Amino acid sequence: MKRILFVCLGNICRSPSAEAVFRAKVEDAGLSDAFEIDSAGTLAYHQGKPADARMMEHAARRGYMLTSIARKVLLRDLEQFDLLIAMDDDNYRELRDLAANDAERAKVRRMMDYAPETGVSEVPDPYYGGAAGFERVLDLLETACGNLLKALR
Ligand code: 4NP
């Protein structure tokens, strides 16, 4: 069993989408039993809320249902998950700072490091932008999550 936690700032746009896109790829590969997949945010502000309605709509058009309820990342996530995958460099730094030791720090990765072919190092925050930003998030996540699964199987 591999436990994967996707992490962004609010846990209402990028990381719930990463969770849904990666889950779909895992299901398509028939590997659902081999993975535990979750998401969290470094900010507590949206805790308890479903994903952003705009993000949900863009994702649904591609067949992804965002079911996650926002929660803040916890210290014990660094113990319990095998990989914590940050959407951008701020999320990455925050997770590294939360880590209690080198073993936990080594579990923290950047989402776009799995997709060097995109030439992009972060999944851009779509929250204050328009429709194109949400589509961009999904494009980047489809590439990166596909490569992540290849790297893990
Ligand atoms: P996310 O997007 O980190 O992809 O969930 C954001 C959601 C909310 C805020 C920022 C980014 N916010 O400032 O409330």
Side-chain angles (χ1 to χ4, degrees):
M1 171 70 76
K2 291 196 177 73
R3 296 165 209 274
I4 316 290
L5 185 72
F6 295 100
V7 178
C8 63
L9 177 60
N11 192 211
I12 56 172
C13 295
R14 293 166 293 173
S15 61
S17 299
E19 180 187 345
V21 169
F22 187 67
R23 182 173 287 120
K25 293 195 181 292
V26 164
E27 283 174 6
D28 286 349
L31 295 171
S32 297
D33 292 346
F35 287 93
E36 184 181 309
I37 306 162
D38 195 5
S39 67
T42 58
L43 188 74
Y45 184 73
H46 298 281
Q47 192 136 268
K49 289 201 215 132
D52 183 281
R54 300 163 297 170
M55 191 75 253
M56 286 177 99
E57 187 183 327
H58 284 276
R61 281 193 220 143
R62 300 192 191 198
Y64 305 114
M65 295 303 140
L66 305 191
T67 56
S68 91
I69 299 296
R71 72 170 179 89
K72 188 167 163 44
V73 69
L74 304 168
L75 284 175
R76 69 159 181 270
D77 289 327
L78 284 141
E79 289 173 37
Q80 292 178 351
F81 285 87
D82 299 306
L83 284 180
L84 295 94
I85 303 186
M87 296 297 119
D88 66 28
D89 291 348
D90 288 338
N91 314 146
Y92 178 78
R93 270 190 296 271
E94 287 219 29
L95 287 171
R96 299 261 304 181
D97 286 349
L98 284 179
N101 52 49
D102 287 346
E104 289 186 5
R105 255 184 302 280
K107 297 175 176 183
V108 180
R109 308 291 170 86
R110 290 184 178 91
M111 183 85 268
M112 294 314 296
D113 282 352
Y114 291 94
E117 68 269 46
T118 62
V120 170
S121 63
E122 302 182 277
V123 183
D125 182 348
Y127 191 70
Y128 294 105
F134 293 93
E135 289 298 314
R136 178 79 171 138
V137 165
L138 292 165
D139 288 341
L140 292 173
L141 290 176
E142 284 177 339
T143 301
C145 287
N147 292 346
L148 172 63
L149 181 56
K150 279 186 211 137
L152 293 178
R153 62 187 296 180

